[in-house]
């Protein structure tokens, strides 16, 4: 069952095309990762999905509610954890959470109970009466998440919730996300850390320059680069071309391309095949050099598909 549907969604600011033809179905109860480098369009995409901004064109539905005509209803069922901490530093955690609860019309004992429940959930019940300004970055992030959960949303959007925090807080956030999933809540999680996407997400979409360049489970995506990627480079263009032809015929070559004086190859098994390639280079007295060996991962996939690193 779909929780979020995006159909040919675009966003442009004058001539700046920030999101292009976003087609996406996110299922109920899944942890879905939006992975991409800075400026790829992750925040803009989730801002449209949460009805904070309108698409230039295209259709978005959340739990069958139309993203343009049902914005009020959508706000009641989505929780948003913004990238920047949105808390009152002089107020303590309880008062911060109460403030957000009141915005949703929650009052009295129900609000008190909900605040206590959330403080325990994020492991900060014992620090609840201290002003937020005394908290570490990780603690602030955890309260930021609690604030987004105050109205028991069906779907929670988390925009890079682990940037700049300590490993302990990060693990607590991961445990919390897994707990939310076990309660049937849908999570959309943006990150540029591929390890986080690998550890957490049921499926991921990799976004670059506003377009999805890969979509699937991490296992499916990583299998696109088989046993890894090898890069070779040489000064002599003729020799480089000769080796493209030679390696193309090898059964271990899954994909090969020439980019200037660089050969990029997807191979079956990087450790084994590099030895075979070195032997071929030696036998031919070649000056070609292996300049990079990348084991199969989302990072390797991204680099291979875009020529860019996920984190620059
Ligand atoms: N209101 C706006 N007006 C003009 N351009 C914008 C606006 N909002 C975002 N952009 C541009 O859209 C592009 C995508 O930004 P967005 O914040 O969605 O990327 P991101 O993937 O979330 O990046 P980051 O990881 O740095 O948060 C950027 O080039 C940004 O400058």
């Amino acid at each position: 069952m779909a929780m979020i549907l995006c159909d040919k969604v675009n966003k442009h600011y004058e001539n700046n095309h920030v999101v292009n033809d976003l087609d996406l179905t996110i299922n109920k109860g899944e942890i879905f990762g939006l992975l991409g480098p800075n400026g790829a369009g992750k925040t803009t995409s989730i801002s449209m999905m949460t009805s904070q901004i309108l698409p230039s064109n295209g259709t978005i539905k959340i739990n069958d509610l139309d993203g343009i005509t049902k914005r009020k209803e959508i706000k009641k069922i989505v929780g948003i954890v913004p990238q920047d901490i949105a808390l009152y530093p002089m107020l303590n955690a309880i008062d911060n959470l109460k403030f957000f609860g009141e915005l949703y019309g929650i009052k009295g004992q129900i609000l008190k109970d909900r605040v206590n429940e959330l403080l325990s959930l994020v492991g900060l019940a014992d620090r609840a009466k201290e002003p937020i300004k005394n908290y570490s970055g990780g603690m602030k992030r955890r309260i930021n998440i609690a604030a987004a959960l105050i109205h028991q949303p069906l779907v929670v959007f988390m925009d890079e919730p682990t940037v700049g925090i300590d490993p302990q807080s990060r693990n607590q956030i991961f445990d919390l996300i897994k707990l939310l999933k076990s309660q049937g809540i849908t999570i959309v999680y943006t990150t540029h850390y591929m390890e986080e996407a690998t550890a957490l997400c049921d499926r991921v979409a990799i976004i670059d320059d506003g377009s999805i360049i890969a979509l699937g489970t991490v296992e499916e995506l990583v299998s696109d680069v088989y046993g890894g990627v090898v890069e070779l480079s040489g000064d002599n263009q003729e020799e480089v071309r000769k080796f493209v032809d030679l390696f193309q015929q090898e059964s271990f070559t899954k994909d090969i391309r020439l980019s200037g004086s660089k050969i990029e190859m997807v191979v079956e098994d990087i450790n084994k095949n590099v030895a075979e390639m070195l032997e071929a280079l030696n036998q031919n007295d070649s000056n070609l050099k292996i300049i990079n060996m990348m084991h199969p991962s989302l990072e390797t996939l991204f680099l291979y598909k875009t020529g860019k690193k996920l984190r620059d």
Side-chain angles (χ1 to χ4, degrees), residues 13 16 18 36-45 83 159-160 192:
Y13 295 102
N16 187 7
V18 173
N38 293 125
K42 304 182 294 296
T43 303
T44 307
S45 297
Q83 208 174 97
D159 199 355
E160 310 210 19
H192 53 268

Side-chain angles (χ1 to χ4, degrees), residues 89-103:
M90 305 307 281
L91 297 183
N92 66 28
I94 297 173
D95 290 339
N96 264 287
L97 293 181
K98 275 189 174 165
F99 171 81
F100 286 104
E102 280 159 6
L103 288 182

